[in-house]
Amino acid sequence: QGQLAQSGVEVKKPGASVKVSCKASGYTFFNHGLSWVRQAPGQGLEWMGRIAVNDGSTIYAQKLQGRFTMTLDTSATTTYMELRNLKSDDTAVYYCVRGLRDYDLWGQGTLITVSS
Amino acid sequence: DIQMTQSPSSLSASVGDRVIISCRASQAIFNSLAWYQQKPGKVPKLLITATSRLASGVPSRFSGTGSGTEYTLSISNLQPEDFATYYCQQYYTTIELTFGGGTKVEI
């Protein structure tokens, strides 16, 4: 059971920032960590990072270090991901997923398009 | 990083066939492997975790085996709804989790 509801489509220019929300419901929020996975058009899945909801500790993919941040609002059972200095190859569907290792619940995805 | 190499990248099969998809890790991942199914335009779905444990609601025609660096996903008696792309994922390293490139199962 459970649901992860993500915020909507974003269109950004190169160099801009984007912040996407993911609200968890229907399960005990503190029992599961959260992660982000993205998928460029026609491509495979790419792990971005994870956040432990009990203490807010994060681990990010090395290639995104310095541009990517995950945060939590535990009172709202919501996690956020922010990606800065966007590039054209950041164009992808971004998924919020439940889990720190494997992912048994996925959000509906948020399409972020980066174009001038 | 641990690299995950899936083969084949695509395959053609018929309803009722048995299909085997392979996933090779660049180093031992000690059964820390999951498989996902993604249909066109849909969200990926967890099929198998810990190499061989079926996720809730997954039909028993799906099975996973493997050890060390070599893992396989088998689909017996292929059904029309099984035509999709399948991804393996290692979670042995908690720092850089990685996915395979995907295997598209087509008619």
Side-chain angles (χ1 to χ4, degrees), chain A residues 39 47 62 101-103, chain B residues 36 38 43 49 89 95-96:
Chain A
Q39 185 171 36
W47 178 77
Q62 188 164 8
R101 291 149 53 88
D102 55 6
Y103 312 126
Chain B
Y36 299 86
Q38 186 177 31
V43 174
T49 187
Q89 177 224 345
I95 296 176
E96 292 279 347

Side-chain angles (χ1 to χ4, degrees), chain A residues 37 39 43-45 47 50 59-62 95 100-104 106-108, chain B residues 1 32 34 36 38 42-44 46 49-50 87 89 91 94-97 99 101:
Chain A
V37 173
Q39 185 171 36
Q43 302 301 309
L45 302 169
W47 178 77
R50 48 166 271 191
I59 299 176
Y60 303 139
Q62 188 164 8
Y95 293 105
L100 297 178
R101 291 149 53 88
D102 55 6
Y103 312 126
D104 64 346
W106 293 61
Q108 82 274 22
Chain B
D1 297 3
S32 299
Y36 299 86
Q38 186 177 31
K42 301 296 186 181
V43 174
L46 178 66
T49 187
Y87 296 93
Q89 177 224 345
Y91 51 86
T94 55
I95 296 176
E96 292 279 347
L97 283 72
F99 291 88

